[in-house]
Amino acid sequence: MREGPVVMGMERWREAEEQFSFGIVRHVLEQLVEAGEIGDVPVEVTARMMFASLSAGAMIIADASDPKKASADVLAALLKMIEGIRHKG
């Protein structure tokens, strides 16, 4: 997360994120919508917001003095966010 942009350059780093990491988040979200697991959400916007949350979570863990606790906290927060868009019916 820290060294990638330095080594690759910001433009190449963003292209790799878009193609690989973000693409996976968008694809999984599309599948969950199609399966009825989550409500009808704007996929592109929701995927970008989820990707940003995952990226922020990774930085929180990387910067933490207690990575295990930070990891548990990040996971708990992400699960609550996902729970919020799950289809309830």
Side-chain angles (χ1 to χ4, degrees):
M1 296 292 298
R2 289 187 199 124
E3 295 169 6
V6 174
V7 172
M8 296 174 70
M10 191 52 99
E11 185 175 336
R12 284 187 56 218
W13 175 254
R14 290 287 183 206
E15 288 171 4
E17 273 189 331
E18 188 73 23
Q19 183 177 358
F20 299 107
S21 305
F22 172 71
I24 292 169
V25 173
R26 182 178 48 223
H27 179 72
V28 168
L29 189 61
E30 288 169 345
Q31 288 181 323
L32 290 170
V33 170
E34 288 175 17
E37 289 293 322
I38 62 173
D40 187 22
V41 296
V43 172
E44 185 72 18
V45 171
T46 305
R48 291 206 178 273
M49 292 178 74
M50 291 179 84
F51 181 71
S53 296
L54 290 167
S55 296
M59 290 305 293
I60 289 167
I61 295 166
D63 291 339
S65 60
D66 184 352
K68 283 188 178 188
K69 181 180 180 331
S71 181
D73 290 347
V74 166
L75 177 60
L78 289 169
L79 289 175
K80 285 289 187 185
M81 291 169 53
I82 293 167
E83 193 176 295
I85 63 171
R86 287 202 65 205
H87 191 345
K88 307 294 190 227

